[in-house]
Amino acid sequence: MSAQEKIWDIPGGIHPAERKELSNRTPIQQAPLPKRLVLPLGQHIGAVAEPCVVVGQRVRKGEKIAEANGFVSAPLHAPTSGTVSFIGPQPYPHASGMLAPAVVIDSDGLDEWVELRPHGDYRHMESAELLALIRESGISGLGGAGFPTAVKLTARPTQKIHTLIINGTECEPYITADDLLMRERAGELVSGIDILVQLIQPEQVLIGIEDNKPEAIAEVRGACSERSYQVRVFPTKYPSGGEKQLIQILTGVEVPSGGLPADIGILCQNVGTCTAIHDAVVLGKPLISRITTLTGEALARPGNVEALLGTPVGELLQFAGLDTSKLNRLIMGGPMMGFTLPSLEVPLIKTSNCLLASTAVELPPPPPAMPCIRCGECAEACPASLLPQQLHFFALGQEHEQLKAHNLFDCIECGACAYVCPSSIPLVQYYRAAKAEIRELEQKQLKAEHSKQRFEQRQERLRRAEEQKEAERKARAEKAARAKAAQAEAPPAAAAAPADEALKKLKIEASMAQVALKKAEKQLAAHDTPELQAQVAELRAAADAAQKALADAQAAAPAPTPKPAGDEALKKAKIDAAMLKAQLRKLEKIETPDDEQQAEIARLRQQLEAAEKVLADLESQAPAPAAKPAGDDALKKAKVELAMKRAELKKAEKAGADEAALQPRRDALATAEQTLHAAEAASGKPAPELVRTERPGVDEKFKALKTEAAFARADLRKLERDESAAGEALQQARTRLAEAERKLAEYQP
Ligand code: SF4
Ligand code: SF4
């Protein structure tokens, strides 16, 4: 081994029976086309894809049937042509036997492709285009948890990837899908690596393969003989294929606890993912099938098949000669990290690398768990250098902080600890449950923290708004105080008002004289008589005199007070401040403003502050407005009171109230009149003429008779409309009306 091909060892690890010979002796076969395919929308880590087809729609092979639903998500494509027959919950490959949303396609047997768009010339493509192509092809990691490949390939601006590691380890017993793929498709594998190299531009490419796959090693070495890619072979040990373990084996570098390979400049991709990238870019084919190992002693013809995603596992096992009488436990994945399938109805998905149909002898049920004897075997076997027995202890006590402190999340759930445990404790199950609990709790805490932050932000906003209001109140009070002081210092109001009134009067007189003159002139034009001529002459003289009086008065009047120069500026400043205030209020009403809105709020506050300062300055310079005479309010109030008392009296009179009821109202009206006189005297304004004048010609008795007749008529109408009115009451009302009308008719003024 050259220095360049140096490999390192990992801690722990085990050597379970490999059992790979069951399935690695025959070439990859094509699985039959199923009649019905079930395609779960969540076949990857991340958001479940969103269907973009409807029931009844015909689709062709390779046509997109669901869109990626977010950044960490992957689209889904029809594995064959046919008709979408159902979209909804369907069996899903999970130990719980749960259902999950899926698109069901009834195959039409034609297997008709959509038009493919191969990119054999991808070397001219930009990285973004290539990434988009990989993303649109629905590729997610085919070797492990199914993380969307395009997301993993998206470069981090702060971290350069210097080493690309291709994982051909396939360390788990029974599984041979990657082994056969490397043997039969080494050319496509290397082509896929070429695409990754163009995207990532790493300094080195390391292909890691365990030494139990000699044919695969030879094929891959041959396929990349003209490239600088290094095929590194290392001794078989479980779980060398774990991402962090393989990195340590090939580079001697450990990925830090809780970190990712990218943190140390390394990216890992599975061999199956690389060939899928080749198919997507060079052939234009999306991910619609995968190579799966069908193995176990319950199968007559174990081997590897290329099967369409969505194929029910029962059909695949039938193809491999399943003997249901022998089948004891059906596992998806391998015996170490796989999980038991509750049904043969579940479909094959992107991460299904193996179906293990085992007999009871082959994989006997584990003996009952016994208490831990603290033998330490588990710690010896752990490839992540954890303390499995301690983790077990903390998991039993739900001591989450201790579990995290003992790096539970570095556990790769390889099962090596449980494999060696003499007490047969299902350790991994405890770790999985504990991880799920912690994640759930953290989610809840995150939500609670988020709510708390929102609450605190709201409180802060309210506090700021209150402060702002207080500042405004203070500013207004200061402004009022300044205005009052200015008023006190100002000279007494100019005694121009009487002069103004006189001028106004003269203007009206001049105008009226002109109107009278024009009217007389028109009449004279129509009927030229000496009387009219004399009248016109007289009116013309009067108009001239009025015009002259007006001109004299205007000449004598002081020049009108020019509008202060600052008026316009003051007006503008008021408008500016009002507009800013309105904009600010609008934004402050938003419960949880984003960063941009918060910045806008801060900006507006500053502007408002500046605008209000300008306004305050201008107002302090402006002359104080003339104060309202002190008695104005009292005068106004007295007028309103008088009007109300007058209305009350009228209403009572109309209602036909008797004298006893009317008298207090008359007294109240008299009091209101006196109050008004007093207020007028106090205001200094000339007293209005409050003498009520009776309209000439109005006969009070006649008016009273008319009123009585009107009321009698109204009462009768009202009773006639009331269905429940008594006949007697109606008769009385009619009699009253007849009497009133008679009196009215007989009345002689
Ligand atoms: S191997 Fe099993 S019995 Fe031994 S220390 Fe670990 S958990 Fe306990
Ligand atoms: S399952 Fe976890 S704790 Fe057990 S050996 Fe594997 S990594 Fe270590």
Side-chain angles (χ1 to χ4, degrees):
M1 186 185 297
S2 69
Q4 210 187 18
E5 289 183 356
K6 184 171 169 22
I7 54 154
W8 285 260
D9 195 9
I10 52 167
I14 53 172
H15 294 90
E18 292 179 22
R19 305 303 317 269
K20 291 188 186 262
E21 72 287 349
L22 266 179
S23 58
N24 68 2
R25 293 181 177 167
T26 51
I28 299 169
Q29 293 186 70
Q30 191 65 50
L33 182 65
K35 282 200 173 69
R36 187 169 179 269
L37 295 105
V38 177
L39 295 139
L41 295 164
Q43 303 195 22
H44 50 267
I45 283 186
V48 168
E50 181 75 29
C52 56
V53 288
V54 290
V55 172
Q57 182 176 335
R58 183 172 189 273
V59 289
R60 286 185 293 167
K61 184 172 181 155
E63 192 172 328
K64 199 194 286 185
I65 56 171
E67 297 276 4
N69 195 10
F71 180 62
V72 183
S73 185
L76 202 57
H77 302 78
T80 188
S81 56
T83 306
V84 175
S85 59
F86 181 76
I87 299 175
Q90 286 288 298
Y92 185 81
H94 191 271
S96 65
M98 68 178 191
L99 300 181
V103 174
V104 180
I105 296 174
D106 288 344
S107 160
D108 60 10
L110 301 174
D111 214 25
E112 182 193 353
W113 274 100
V114 284
E115 191 185 334
L116 298 180
R117 295 212 179 106
H119 290 83
D121 58 348
Y122 69 86
R123 288 181 196 283
H124 306 294
M125 289 170 74
E126 295 285 329
S127 295
E129 268 183 281
L130 261 181
L131 266 179
L133 199 55
I134 292 167
R135 181 179 169 80
E136 276 303 291
S137 300
I139 302 172
S140 52
L142 296 187
F147 197 78
T149 302
V151 179
K152 207 170 171 183
L153 292 175
T154 302
R156 292 187 190 186
T158 52
Q159 185 62 62
K160 167 90 180 94
I161 300 296
H162 54 71
T163 301
L164 172 63
I165 287 180
I166 306 301
N167 192 346
T169 315
E170 198 164 54
C171 60
E172 183 145 4
Y174 282 92
I175 310 175
T176 57
D178 286 350
D179 183 6
L180 269 289
L181 178 137
M182 288 187 282
R183 289 189 208 180
E184 297 188 16
R185 300 190 183 168
E188 288 103 303
L189 164 62
V190 173
S191 167
I193 298 172
D194 290 344
I195 295 166
L196 288 175
V197 167
Q198 179 174 325
L199 264 173
I200 301 162
Q201 309 277 318
E203 290 161 23
Q204 61 172 351
V205 177
L206 308 176
I207 304 169
I209 310 175
E210 277 187 334
D211 62 4
N212 61 354
K213 304 176 188 65
E215 295 94 333
I217 294 165
E219 288 297 333
V220 176
R221 278 206 166 120
C224 55
S225 59
E226 292 176 2
R227 291 167 174 80
S228 60
Y229 309 157
Q230 299 168 42
V231 178
R232 292 206 177 162
V233 180
F234 47 90
T236 300
K237 180 162 83 168
Y238 180 82
S240 301
E243 200 169 60
K244 291 182 177 178
Q245 285 64 40
L246 182 60
I247 289 171
Q248 195 171 355
I249 289 169
L250 297 184
T251 66
V253 180
E254 263 188 74
V255 178
S257 174
L260 293 170
D263 298 337
I264 53 168
I266 295 175
L267 181 81
C268 278
Q269 289 293 344
N270 166 266
V271 288
T273 313
C274 294
T275 53
I277 290 172
H278 159 83
D279 291 350
V281 176
V282 179
L283 306 179
K285 292 181 177 176
L287 181 62
I288 54 163
S289 66
R290 66 157 298 143
I291 295 167
T292 299
T293 303
L294 305 177
T295 189
E297 291 180 2
L299 298 181
R301 298 178 295 280
N304 282 278
V305 290
E306 172 149 26
L308 296 181
L309 302 177
T311 306
V313 300
E315 288 189 33
L316 290 173
L317 295 173
Q318 287 304 327
F319 176 69
L322 174 70
D323 183 344
T324 48
S325 66
K326 286 186 180 174
L327 180 64
N328 176 53
R329 193 174 152 214
L330 175 61
I331 297 170
M332 186 170 270
M336 302 299 295
M337 295 182 77
F339 57 92
T340 303
L341 284 180
S343 140
L344 294 176
E345 301 297 312
V346 300
L348 189 83
I349 61 172
K350 292 176 185 178
T351 51
S352 312
N353 56 357
C354 177
L355 290 170
L356 169 53
S358 67
T359 63
V361 178
E362 193 181 7
L363 289 180
M370 304 289 284
C372 170
I373 56 170
R374 301 220 163 249
C375 65
E377 295 272 336
C378 49
E380 286 286 312
C382 180
S385 302
L386 303 177
L387 295 171
Q389 77 276 27
Q390 284 301 111
L391 290 175
H392 172 231
F393 177 75
F394 294 135
L396 278 174
Q398 295 187 316
E399 294 183 54
H400 294 161
E401 288 311 312
Q402 287 285 16
L403 284 165
K404 285 194 264 184
H406 282 74
N407 301 319
L408 171 69
F409 284 91
D410 282 351
C411 167
I412 59 169
E413 299 176 19
C414 67
C417 51
Y419 182 81
V420 297
C421 177
S423 295
S424 303
I425 302 172
L427 295 166
V428 184
Q429 290 179 25
Y430 283 103
Y431 307 153
R432 281 186 189 145
K435 282 182 186 176
E437 269 173 31
I438 293 172
R439 284 195 188 109
E440 198 182 323
L441 265 174
E442 284 178 347
Q443 281 292 323
K444 279 185 187 164
Q445 277 167 0
L446 205 70
K447 265 190 179 173
E449 185 57 31
H450 190 61
S451 304
K452 189 173 160 227
Q453 275 178 10
R454 285 183 55 195
F455 175 75
E456 284 173 356
Q457 281 169 0
R458 185 170 180 273
Q459 292 298 95
E460 177 61 17
R461 272 202 316 282
L462 292 176
R463 188 188 62 73
R464 283 202 303 262
E466 196 49 48
E467 275 178 10
Q468 180 78 17
K469 270 188 200 163
E470 186 55 39
E472 284 169 8
R473 266 198 293 271
K474 210 170 157 193
R476 277 199 300 274
E478 282 171 8
K479 194 173 118 187
R482 277 201 304 273
K484 208 170 172 187
Q487 190 189 343
E489 286 166 15
D500 274 1
E501 284 299 316
L503 200 59
K504 205 169 157 188
K505 204 174 163 198
L506 284 173
K507 273 183 188 170
I508 294 168
E509 281 172 4
S511 163
M512 284 175 71
Q514 280 296 328
V515 170
L517 175 62
K518 291 274 176 293
K519 205 172 163 187
E521 281 174 343
K522 269 188 187 172
Q523 284 176 350
L524 180 63
H527 314 282
D528 193 355
T529 62
E531 291 79 21
L532 278 173
Q533 280 175 8
Q535 196 178 351
V536 165
E538 208 173 297
L539 284 171
R540 187 169 291 127
D544 288 347
Q547 195 58 42
K548 187 171 180 305
L550 176 62
D552 291 348
Q554 278 174 331
T561 317
K563 225 179 183 185
D567 261 16
E568 283 306 314
L570 189 62
K571 199 170 159 192
K572 187 174 176 297
K574 276 182 183 169
I575 292 170
D576 285 351
M579 282 174 72
L580 284 167
K581 209 175 282 174
Q583 283 175 25
L584 186 60
R585 294 281 171 278
K586 206 170 162 190
L587 277 174
E588 281 176 339
K589 277 183 190 161
I590 300 170
E591 272 231 337
T592 46
D594 57 25
D595 290 349
E596 215 172 286
Q597 287 164 335
Q598 281 182 0
E600 181 64 7
I601 288 172
R603 190 180 65 77
L604 283 172
R605 279 204 185 110
Q606 274 181 2
Q607 287 184 353
L608 180 59
E609 209 173 295
E612 284 181 337
K613 190 168 178 311
V614 170
L615 180 59
D617 288 350
L618 285 169
E619 281 174 340
S620 66
Q621 290 160 18
K628 238 180 174 182
D632 264 14
D633 280 346
L635 187 60
K636 200 169 161 191
K637 202 174 159 199
K639 279 182 181 171
V640 171
E641 188 67 16
L642 179 67
M644 282 171 65
K645 297 297 169 209
R646 197 175 279 153
E648 275 173 24
L649 178 61
K650 269 193 178 172
K651 198 173 166 190
E653 282 173 347
K654 271 190 181 177
D658 57 20
E659 198 53 33
L662 288 174
Q663 194 50 49
R665 287 178 170 78
R666 286 195 188 109
D667 294 345
L669 179 61
T671 309
E673 282 174 352
Q674 279 166 13
T675 309
L676 178 61
H677 287 310
E680 281 166 348
S683 75
K685 286 191 175 179
E689 288 177 17
L690 275 176
V691 183
R692 266 190 283 168
T693 50
E694 296 299 340
R695 269 180 287 168
V698 174
D699 183 328
E700 279 304 305
K701 184 151 189 219
F702 180 62
K703 196 173 155 190
L705 286 173
K706 267 175 89 178
T707 307
E708 168 58 13
F711 277 113
R713 198 175 294 118
D715 285 350
L716 178 60
R717 297 277 176 275
K718 200 169 158 192
L719 283 169
E720 282 173 343
R721 279 199 298 273
D722 183 359
E723 285 175 9
S724 62
E728 196 183 337
L730 267 168
Q731 192 48 51
Q732 278 177 5
R734 285 190 188 109
T735 310
R736 179 185 163 200
L737 177 60
E739 181 65 13
E741 284 176 341
R742 186 187 60 74
K743 281 183 180 170
L744 187 62
E746 286 173 1
Y747 178 71
Q748 295 290 328

